[in-house]
Amino acid sequence: PLQEAFGARKAELPNGQVPVWYQDGHAFNESLAILRLVGRQFGYYPVEHHDMWACDSLVDYSNDFIAKLVGIVFFEKRLDESG
């Protein structure tokens, strides 16, 4: 099944994790770093420093929020619990 297939490939992945972006013979990991890499390459990432901060701030906030939401939806964790 899926866990066995992932286990067999885990050693090939950077830090043994997904997601991974393969490009030009390189494997890139870490989801937010991949977003920034692809955004810069295709013109979706700002060039002005303040706009970079605003973009990064929004992505980081969204990432934190989604992590909390996953805890609530899948693990019935309350918002007032630590973490």
Side-chain angles (χ1 to χ4, degrees):
L2 187 59
Q3 286 183 330
E4 291 173 14
F6 179 73
R9 295 217 40 218
K10 190 172 181 175
E12 303 168 17
L13 303 172
N15 296 332
Q17 300 175 334
V18 292
V20 179
W21 176 264
Y22 294 99
Q23 182 178 353
D24 300 325
H26 299 281
F28 300 93
N29 66 321
E30 294 299 330
S31 58
L32 298 182
I34 292 169
L35 283 174
R36 290 179 181 110
L37 170 75
V38 173
R40 284 186 181 110
Q41 286 181 335
F42 293 98
Y44 294 108
Y45 195 78
V47 294
E48 200 278 322
H49 291 103
H50 181 266
D51 293 339
M52 286 180 189
W53 168 83
C55 181
D56 290 345
S57 177
L58 179 62
V59 169
D60 291 344
Y61 172 80
S62 299
N63 195 49
D64 291 343
F65 179 78
I66 289 169
K68 290 179 182 175
L69 188 60
V70 166
I72 294 167
V73 171
F74 293 104
F75 304 108
E76 299 179 15
K77 188 174 183 179
R78 294 170 39 132
L79 278 177
D80 60 350
E81 293 179 21
S82 64

